[in-house]
Structure formats: structure tokens, C-alpha cells
Amino acid sequence: MTVNEEKRNLDLGGHVGFDSLPDQLVSKSVAQGFCFNILCVGETGIGKSTMMNTLFNTMFENEEASHYERDVQLRPETYELRESNVNLKLTVVQTVGFGDQINKEDSFKPILDYIDTQFEKYLEEELKIKRSLFNYHDTRIHICLYFIAPNGHSLKSLDLVTMKKLDSKVNIIPIIAKSDTVNRSELDKLKIKIMSELVSNGVQIYQFPTEDEAVAEINSSMNTHLPFAVVGSVDDVKVGNKLVKARMYPWGSVQVENESHCDFVKLREMLLRVNMEDLREQTHARHYELYRRCKLEEMGFKDTGPDSQSFSLQETYEAKRKEFLVELQRKEEEMRQMFVNKVKETEAELKEKEKELHERFEQLKRMHQEEKKNLEEKRRELEEEINAFSRRKVAAETLMGQALQGCSHQRSKQSKRNALCQKKH
């Protein structure tokens, strides 16, 4: 068929029935149910949980976070919702402790790691021999609602850095939280300033698609309202003769669903009613596909060879396996050589220690011999002193005995003389 040749049209002779295919797809999708995963990024206390409760008109169970988290933690919670006859498995991922640290340099890393982990889980399921993608719980993040604080006149450095890191991983919709704290003129200026900074820093936020004629007009209009300035509330307030979601103040009330008060209705329409399926498709066809391509290229897969021929999966596997074995052998050789060197170093250290111990032993041995010699000399001196003392003692006892004997002899003579004198008288 040439390029200029027109396509041939065939007229059906009667009803065939493939016009019911869209109805079949709808019925099957409704029976299977849908999943939608929202990542809420923003500082603690900015109103992320309240916004989710307001957005889905329910009360999710959320644990209140403190301002003293040491690092950023991602806390996913999955809920089963039902509206009419449509089931939705909703996963809300909260960034606990975001922006609370003194050093915020690495605050975005846990968020990136979490998004990549969900991509990796889906890729692992795709690469399995026995896959179950039909009933697989898809946890890939479909939309990131980035909550911007209303105080200040521009984006913080943390906001710019985080959104720049995330824009290639996930669809981002920036929203100004608690917009009722800013008057209308300042809010309009803040919106313009935020969009200007995003463009000048090359941050790619999610743009509502305008290819479909059915939603082109409303999406084009809504693209001009970004970022949405929203207010969240789960409190019912009586205004006139009806109850509405609103926030009460001494000067009046801010109605959540009043478009003249905030952009909550615009966010809900764009996020849930009009573009939810496009967000899911963008996640799969753009962000996940980019991750998948980079991951497979790292694994050595490619679409065409050097000769522009289609590649063989077996050849690619064998080549990658061969490279892996060569690399493994090289690393084993390096580890073996490292082990040998370590053993040699250890042996040298042990020999040096042995030499030091031997020298220390010889030194102690000499000291012991010298001390023993000194003790022997002292012992001999002490024995000599004892012998001399014994001799002196014996001599002293002898002299004392002689002296006592002389005294007794003299007493005997004196007694005899006294007796003679008494006889004479």
C-alpha cells in the first residue's frame, strides 16, 4: 500500500456487535475496581490529613505527628471506598516530619526512595515467570499533592529542591494550604510568584490534558488557576438554610465548597472527576516507563544491536551472565589477594608482637635474677647477723653465769664468817 493510497472502508451488511466493546470494558473495570494512590508532601501541621478527609468526605484514621521527628518517614494507609457501585482502593501516603529537621538537605531522599521502591515492586511483578498483574495491588504513586505554606512571598528552597527532584518521578499538583489566612490580592500575587519560580527553575508540574475535546476547555481553564488555593474542613456549619463544610471565624465563615472563597472544588473536580484516569495513565506510561527503561538498560537489555537487528534475549542473558561471572571472578581474586595481604600483615604484626613479648620476657627474667641475687645476699647478711647475735648471746650468758657463780661464792664465805663471829661471842 502506498502512502497516498486511501484506506478502504467497508460497510457492514448488518449488526455485528463489537460496538458494545466499550460497555464490556466498563463492566469489567467496574467489577475489578480501581486503585488510586496519593502522596501528600508538606510540613507538619499544614493540613494534609484534613484536606484528605475533606476531599473524600470521610474521616480517615490518622496519627497526629509531632514536630520532633529525627528524619522524614513515609506512612502509607490504604482504605476501601465505595461510591455508587464503583470500588476504589485508596492509598494515602503521608510524609511525617517533612521540614522539621534543622538540616533539611536530605529531606527529599526518603520520598524518592519510597517512589522508586513502588516502581521496583511493580517491575519485579512484571518480570516474574508467573505474573498476577490482573489482581496485583498497584502501589505506584499516581499524584503528589505538594502543600505550600501560605506565609511568605515565594517558595522556600526546600520546596523548590524537593519538587525538582520529584517531577520526573511523579505527577505534581502544587496547592497553597490554609489559603484563608491570606487576603485575595496577596493570594493572587503569591500564585503568580510561585508559578514564575517553578518555570524559572525548570520544575515540571502536572498539566491537565487538553487533547480530549470533551475536557479540553475545562482543563485549559484550570491550568491557569494553578496552584490551587485550598481550605480544608470536616465541620458542618449552618449557612442560611443548609449545612455546608466551612471554617468559622469571629468575622464570619470560609465555605470550603464556595468557589469564591477557595479553589477546593476546582481541585476535587480536576483530581477525582475529570483527570483521575489520566493521572494513572501518566504514571504508567511516563514515569514508570522511564524508570523501567533505565532499570533494564542497567541490566544490559537493549532494543537493537549494533547492526540494527533485533536482539536475542538469550544472547543478552548469556552476555550479561558472562560479564557477571568475569566481574565476580575479578572480585574474588581481589578479595583473595586482599585476604593474603591481610594474613601477611597479621603474621608480621604477630611476629613483631612475639618479638616484643620475648624481649619483655628476657627483661623480666634478668630483673628476676637480679632481685633473686639481691635477696640471696640479704639472706646471707641476715644469717651472719643472726650467727653473730647468737655468739654474743652465748658469751653474754656465759659471763652472766660466771658473775652469778662468783656472787654466790662470796655470799657463802660471808655466811661462814658471820657464823664464826656468833660462836666467838
Side-chain angles (χ1 to χ4, degrees):
M1 180 184 292
T2 62
V3 177
N4 297 327
E5 185 178 350
E6 295 183 357
K7 292 183 179 179
R8 183 175 57 173
N9 294 324
L10 296 178
D11 295 329
L12 298 177
H15 182 265
V16 176
F18 59 78
D19 60 344
S20 66
L21 182 58
D23 298 330
Q24 296 176 35
L25 292 175
V26 170
S27 300
K28 185 176 181 180
S29 298
V30 169
Q32 182 181 357
F34 302 90
C35 69
F36 193 60
N37 306 317
I38 302 177
L39 171 65
C40 298
V41 180
E43 299 175 358
T44 305
I46 204 170
K48 302 186 292 293
S49 300
T50 303
M51 179 54 58
M52 290 297 101
N53 294 336
T54 310
L55 198 60
F56 291 95
N57 195 26
T58 187
M59 289 295 294
F60 297 122
E61 296 179 0
N62 292 300
E63 181 181 350
E64 186 176 352
S66 68
H67 288 271
Y68 305 101
E69 299 291 340
R70 299 183 60 182
D71 51 10
V72 180
Q73 300 177 4
L74 279 85
R75 187 181 298 164
E77 295 289 344
T78 302
Y79 310 94
E80 298 283 349
L81 304 180
R82 184 178 180 87
E83 189 175 56
S84 298
N85 63 334
V86 178
N87 295 318
L88 178 68
K89 183 176 285 187
L90 174 69
T91 299
V92 179
V93 184
Q94 299 283 2
T95 52
V96 180
F98 181 78
D100 290 340
Q101 295 75 32
I102 297 176
N103 184 4
K104 303 177 178 62
E105 184 178 358
D106 298 331
S107 295
F108 63 89
K109 288 185 177 179
I111 305 175
L112 287 179
D113 293 340
Y114 180 85
I115 296 173
D116 285 341
T117 300
Q118 311 317 309
F119 284 157
E120 184 175 359
K121 289 181 180 178
Y122 193 87
L123 181 60
E124 289 177 355
E125 186 65 28
E126 275 192 332
L127 296 178
K128 285 182 179 178
I129 297 176
K130 294 182 179 181
R131 302 184 301 177
S132 57
L133 292 175
F134 177 77
N135 56 359
Y136 174 75
H137 180 206
D138 188 1
T139 57
R140 296 173 296 176
I141 299 299
H142 299 123
I143 181 65
C144 169
L145 294 180
Y146 196 96
F147 290 73
I148 301 170
N151 51 347
H153 300 285
S154 61
L155 289 170
K156 298 179 181 179
S157 299
L158 176 63
D159 298 330
L160 282 173
V161 171
T162 303
M163 281 193 275
K164 183 62 179 177
K165 295 291 184 180
L166 293 178
D167 63 358
S168 62
K169 302 283 186 180
V170 67
N171 304 309
I172 301 176
I173 295 182
I175 58 178
I176 302 174
K178 298 183 178 180
S179 62
D180 53 337
T181 61
V182 185
N183 62 47
R184 176 57 61 180
S185 61
E186 291 180 352
L187 192 59
D188 292 338
K189 292 179 182 178
L190 181 59
K191 281 188 174 186
I192 296 173
K193 182 66 175 177
I194 289 174
M195 291 304 298
S196 174
E197 290 188 348
L198 292 177
V199 172
S200 61
N201 287 277
V203 179
Q204 301 293 326
I205 64 173
Y206 175 73
Q207 294 290 317
F208 303 118
T210 57
E211 294 80 9
D212 188 355
E213 295 180 358
V215 295
E217 183 177 355
I218 185 173
N219 280 349
S220 297
S221 175
M222 291 301 159
N223 281 329
T224 62
H225 287 83
L226 291 172
F228 293 132
V230 298
V231 177
S233 176
V234 294
D235 298 328
D236 292 324
V237 177
K238 189 173 183 180
V239 177
N241 296 325
K242 62 179 181 178
L243 290 176
V244 296
K245 300 291 184 184
R247 300 184 73 88
M248 290 299 298
Y249 294 96
W251 45 263
S253 63
V254 176
Q255 300 176 30
V256 172
E257 296 182 338
N258 190 332
E259 294 193 50
S260 63
H261 290 184
C262 69
D263 297 331
F264 173 77
V265 174
K266 296 182 178 67
L267 173 64
R268 185 177 61 187
E269 291 290 298
M270 291 297 97
L271 184 63
L272 304 180
R273 189 178 70 84
V274 179
N275 298 302
M276 179 183 282
E277 182 58 27
D278 184 73
L279 289 167
R280 287 157 43 90
E281 290 179 359
Q282 286 289 326
T283 299
H284 181 78
R286 180 186 169 195
H287 301 295
Y288 169 71
E289 192 62 28
L290 177 62
Y291 173 86
R292 174 181 171 276
R293 184 181 67 191
C294 295
K295 202 70 175 179
L296 291 180
E297 286 177 353
E298 290 178 5
M299 296 169 63
F301 294 100
K302 54 187 177 180
D303 291 334
T304 57
D307 54 354
S308 299
Q309 298 294 327
S310 59
F311 76 99
S312 169
L313 185 63
Q314 181 67 23
E315 292 177 0
T316 303
Y317 168 76
E318 291 295 338
K320 197 67 179 178
R321 182 174 180 274
K322 190 177 295 184
E323 292 178 6
F324 173 76
L325 291 176
V326 171
E327 182 68 15
L328 182 62
Q329 186 176 1
R330 184 185 65 81
K331 288 185 177 180
E332 287 180 352
E333 186 62 30
E334 288 180 357
M335 292 181 66
R336 187 180 296 108
Q337 188 63 34
M338 187 183 301
F339 177 76
V340 171
N341 294 336
K342 195 69 176 177
V343 169
K344 290 181 178 179
E345 292 177 1
T346 306
E347 287 179 350
E349 291 177 358
L350 289 175
K351 288 181 179 179
E352 187 68 24
K353 293 291 184 182
E354 184 181 2
K355 183 179 179 181
E356 292 178 1
L357 288 174
H358 184 71
E359 292 178 353
R360 181 66 177 169
F361 173 75
E362 292 295 331
Q363 182 181 1
L364 291 173
K365 187 177 179 181
R366 288 194 298 270
M367 291 174 61
H368 174 70
Q369 290 177 351
E370 290 177 0
E371 290 180 356
K372 185 178 180 181
K373 183 178 179 182
N374 294 332
L375 287 174
E376 289 292 335
E377 291 179 355
K378 288 182 179 180
R379 186 174 65 80
R380 284 194 298 270
E381 292 176 356
L382 183 60
E383 288 179 351
E384 290 177 358
E385 290 179 359
I386 291 173
N387 293 332
F389 177 77
S390 298
R391 288 192 295 272
R392 288 196 298 272
K393 181 180 178 182
V394 170
E397 289 177 349
T398 303
L399 291 174
M400 186 175 292
Q402 292 176 355
L404 290 173
Q405 188 177 2
C407 290
S408 61
H409 184 67
Q410 290 179 356
R411 281 196 300 270
S412 176
K413 288 181 177 182
Q414 185 67 32
S415 297
K416 289 179 178 180
R417 282 196 298 267
N418 291 336
L420 289 175
C421 288
Q422 289 177 356
K423 286 180 180 182
K424 288 177 178 181
H425 292 290

